[in-house]
Amino acid sequence: MAIERTAGVSRRGAAAVGLALAIGVGIGQLTPIGPAAAEKPAPPAAPGGGPQTPSAKVPLAGVDMTQTYVNPVNLPGMAVRNIVGTMPPTDANVANTSQIPASLNQETWTAASGRTLASRSTVGFSRISENSARTGADWSALNVDGTIYLYASGAMQNAPNNNRTVWSTTDYLTWTPHEMNLGVVAPTVVQVGDKFYMAGNNTPVYQADSPTGPWTSMGSFLRPNGQTLSVGDVQFFLDTDGRLYLTYNIGSPIMGAELDPNNPRQLISDAVVMWTFDPRQEWQHIGDNKATYTHGYVEGSQLFKVGDTYYLSVASGGTEFTTYSTGVMSSDKPLSGFKETQQNPIGYGDNHPSAVYPNAGHGSFVLDKSGNLVFFYTYVIAYEEFFERRLGMDVCNVIPAGPKKGTIDCELSNTPQLAPGKKISGRDDVGLYNVATNSQAYWTSSYAPGRNPYYGGDRSLSTWWEPADNDTAPTYIRGFGTVFHISAAQIQWKELGRNFTKDNAVQYTLEYKDIATNTWQPLVDRSTNTTAYTADYVTFDRVLTNAVRLKILGTTENVKVGVHELNVFGENYNLAVSKGMINP
């Protein structure tokens, strides 16, 4: 479905063009700006058919920006996790290796103990959580008659006290939270007939008549011999022939078995090994720099099917690291024969890694009613503590023919994308850049020690700008260094302290500098906002400007907030075309 709108210069931006010369932005005499080219030029072919040089973004014409999204996804009411850390009085154990398991000295070593091993070398210091933190991860999607339901780990507490929110959407743009009567860690939900079944890490199987509950316990998983099976990172898969399967394990190997669809807690086949840790594959290594060959942490498996091909996805590398990522294998059978026929992890293509940190961790693939293969994944921050995470979403394709037939092709995004099913001219990337990081031009009304305004645009979610405690009107101005046409922004809030809940909403206004009048003009007014967004994505009429101004008015729970990142999305392609610098 193509979503189109008449293209042209915004009435607010037209007058600004003529005055651009006077403010020294180096544009010169401009001719009227026409619509941008709708097609992205093909990149130059590489010798011998090898990797190609990525081409520059060309903005799509006629885009309705209200039909776009940006990662991390603007999900309301995400859970709050509060972990208080303490600093030991001594550094004696920082490099202490005495607690490393003796298993490293054995001829046979179990890779599943990997993460514990990695943490033992830093037992002297605990990570200090300065503030409570928003969190959501281990995303599991379910398509129910065209409505996508999205389940997640939240504060990582045991059932039934974990995140109880499930979000639903029919357009991927508006997400409705539903409160359930219980929540589990790393949930999975499947519909069999008119019943729904849910399970999580080391939980019973629960059943309900609705995807939002209420859920009642059926009891634990049972092996074929009747023995109880208690496992983590479980995922249901209902095949097109009505047969039901389970994959599971936190740590290598990933196991799989068939379940009784009339009693989904009962295994009717012995579990088989489906995937094991491979130290030769760097993406599976644990840690941000992937330096350790000896172990990884394979987890978060999902079995799914596209056409006649079965796919098994797994996450590896550690959920506390930004290189936490997902790989895929394929087979023509549901429980055996899985081989890697593509380059892993997801998001690495012929040109270059499309993932700009963080990568795509534990999540799930879902086929929607239009046949889109949508990938929901864990977007790692992990500043306050290991489980500080967010939601990422991108559309993947299955290559239909050629030497890469059957390959799952995903390009991870961090700029505006058309929502799944809304391509224009075969494209979902709108063709905009994040122009707020083009230069380090900024001004703020104040800043707290160590939280200066540079951090509000440094492309890192581990830092943030924070106003001083006595600042009653916090203001952040971001300059672009030149002029751009902008049409969207994303504010990634940093809530401070330990006294906010998942319902805390930030109230603010966003303005742009009108070049023609040298005045600030309104873009977005959220002065009465009551929806709790952690990454607030807003769109507006296209304007020409060289700066934006954010005014923080407060929050619904009277909580101090800062800004992880103020991202502004725009382009100056049309300006370059009008000057004869580019052949459109």
Side-chain angles (χ1 to χ4, degrees):
M1 177 181 180
I3 305 299
E4 305 210 0
R5 186 173 65 178
T6 303
V9 181
S10 164
R11 58 181 173 81
R12 291 187 289 188
V17 177
L19 194 65
L21 271 173
I23 62 170
V25 295
I27 295 177
Q29 185 65 38
L30 298 177
T31 55
I33 300 170
E39 296 293 339
K40 186 175 182 178
Q52 298 175 332
T53 301
S55 57
K57 288 179 181 285
V58 176
L60 277 172
V63 174
D64 179 354
M65 290 299 294
T66 66
Q67 301 299 306
T68 64
Y69 73 94
V70 162
N71 286 317
V73 173
N74 206 1
L75 204 62
M78 193 173 289
V80 175
R81 180 173 166 87
N82 186 2
I83 300 296
V84 180
T86 58
M87 181 70 79
T90 175
D91 63 0
N93 289 322
V94 171
N96 181 5
T97 59
S98 64
Q99 297 188 53
I100 291 180
S103 58
L104 271 187
N105 299 321
Q106 300 175 358
E107 292 184 6
T108 302
W109 174 73
T110 303
S113 64
R115 187 181 301 174
T116 301
L117 174 63
S119 67
R120 292 299 177 89
S121 63
T122 56
V123 294
F125 286 101
S126 298
R127 182 176 300 220
I128 295 179
S129 176
E130 299 178 46
N131 309 280
S132 295
R134 298 280 184 163
T135 184
D138 308 331
W139 307 94
S140 184
L142 177 68
N143 181 1
V144 182
D145 299 326
T147 298
I148 302 298
Y149 290 86
L150 196 59
Y151 305 83
S153 296
M156 298 297 289
Q157 297 167 308
N158 293 326
N161 298 314
N162 185 54
N163 168 57
R164 298 188 180 194
T165 302
V166 55
W167 294 265
S168 67
T169 187
T170 56
D171 61 6
Y172 301 100
L173 299 169
T174 303
W175 293 89
T176 302
H178 309 270
E179 194 77 5
M180 301 188 295
N181 65 313
L182 58 84
V184 301
V185 173
T188 179
V189 178
V190 67
Q191 181 181 8
V192 181
D194 58 358
K195 292 289 186 180
F196 296 85
Y197 301 95
M198 178 171 72
N201 285 355
N202 305 305
T203 72
V205 177
Y206 300 93
Q207 67 176 348
D209 296 324
S210 159
T212 61
W215 302 95
T216 58
S217 175
M218 299 175 62
S220 299
F221 286 107
L222 298 174
R223 299 180 187 272
N225 62 6
Q227 181 184 11
T228 296
L229 175 67
S230 182
V231 289
D233 279 9
V234 293
Q235 275 288 320
F236 292 118
F237 165 63
L238 182 67
D239 204 346
T240 50
D241 61 5
R243 297 173 73 174
L244 184 64
Y245 300 90
L246 181 75
T247 60
Y248 61 88
N249 246 2
I250 302 179
S252 180
I254 298 299
M255 307 295 291
E258 187 172 355
L259 297 172
D260 181 353
N262 298 311
N263 179 20
R265 59 188 289 245
Q266 179 65 60
L267 276 67
I268 59 175
S269 75
D270 290 329
V272 296
V273 174
M274 299 180 69
W275 188 317
T276 57
F277 168 64
D278 184 353
R280 296 167 299 180
Q281 297 192 27
E282 185 184 77
W283 75 271
Q284 293 186 37
H285 296 182
I286 200 165
D288 271 326
N289 295 319
K290 302 297 186 185
T292 306
Y293 274 85
T294 51
H295 56 281
Y297 210 81
V298 181
E299 59 184 353
S301 64
Q302 183 201 8
L303 181 63
F304 62 101
K305 187 179 183 181
V306 182
D308 295 327
T309 302
Y310 295 91
Y311 295 91
L312 178 68
S313 67
V314 301
S316 189
T319 192
E320 63 268 43
F321 301 110
T322 56
T323 54
Y324 190 40
S325 51
T326 296
V328 177
M329 299 178 80
S330 60
S331 176
D332 58 1
K333 297 181 287 294
L335 290 179
S336 63
F338 283 92
K339 297 179 180 178
E340 290 186 72
T341 58
Q342 65 179 69
Q343 187 173 359
N344 280 323
I346 289 294
Y348 278 53
D350 284 341
N351 297 336
H352 60 98
S354 66
V356 176
Y357 292 157
N359 215 313
H362 184 166
S364 74
F365 296 82
V366 66
L367 276 170
D368 68 13
K369 64 179 180 180
S370 300
N372 300 298
L373 181 62
V374 185
F375 180 33
F376 297 98
Y377 54 87
T378 297
Y379 192 106
V380 177
I381 298 176
Y383 174 82
E384 296 293 353
E385 49 87 35
F386 290 166
F387 296 125
E388 184 181 5
R389 299 166 293 179
R390 301 284 190 272
L391 169 65
M393 175 182 75
D394 282 297
V395 178
C396 300
N397 300 298
V398 178
I399 297 178
K404 294 186 178 181
K405 181 180 178 180
T407 295
I408 301 289
D409 179 37
C410 300
E411 184 171 348
L412 307 181
S413 67
N414 57 10
T415 57
Q417 308 289 305
L418 286 164
K422 303 186 189 313
K423 288 186 178 181
I424 298 177
S425 301
R427 284 177 50 191
D428 44 26
D429 189 320
V430 176
L432 303 183
Y433 285 97
N434 182 0
V435 303
T437 58
N438 188 58
S439 73
Q440 296 302 335
Y442 48 76
W443 177 92
T444 57
S445 53
S446 68
Y447 60 92
R451 305 296 182 190
N452 74 62
Y454 168 83
Y455 296 128
D458 64 349
R459 293 183 291 177
S460 170
L461 293 176
S462 295
T463 57
W464 64 87
W465 162 69
E466 177 183 332
D469 287 340
N470 60 356
D471 190 342
T472 58
T475 303
Y476 186 105
I477 296 175
R478 192 80 193 171
F480 305 151
T482 186
V483 296
F484 293 93
H485 286 100
I486 66 170
S487 52
Q490 182 196 56
I491 308 161
Q492 300 196 45
W493 300 111
K494 178 61 179 179
E495 295 157 293
L496 301 163
R498 302 188 183 277
N499 297 317
F500 60 92
T501 74
K502 68 182 181 66
D503 298 316
N504 182 52
V506 183
Q507 297 171 334
Y508 66 96
T509 61
L510 186 67
E511 303 165 308
Y512 76 100
K513 174 58 71 74
D514 181 66
I515 299 172
T517 61
N518 197 32
T519 59
W520 293 104
Q521 297 296 321
L523 277 177
V524 176
D525 184 349
R526 293 221 172 184
S527 57
T528 59
N529 174 48
T530 57
T531 303
Y533 289 123
T534 56
D536 203 347
Y537 178 60
V538 292
T539 62
F540 37 81
D541 289 342
R542 183 171 176 264
V543 297
L544 185 73
T545 186
N546 58 357
V548 295
R549 180 169 71 176
L550 172 68
K551 290 185 174 181
I552 301 175
L553 306 179
T555 76
T556 54
E557 296 180 358
N558 196 29
V559 172
K560 183 182 180 183
V561 293
V563 175
H564 272 303
E565 292 292 301
L566 172 57
N567 298 320
V568 182
F569 302 102
E571 52 89 10
N572 64 1
Y573 173 86
N574 282 317
L575 296 178
V577 168
S578 68
K579 291 293 293 176
M581 296 176 64
I582 299 176
N583 253 339

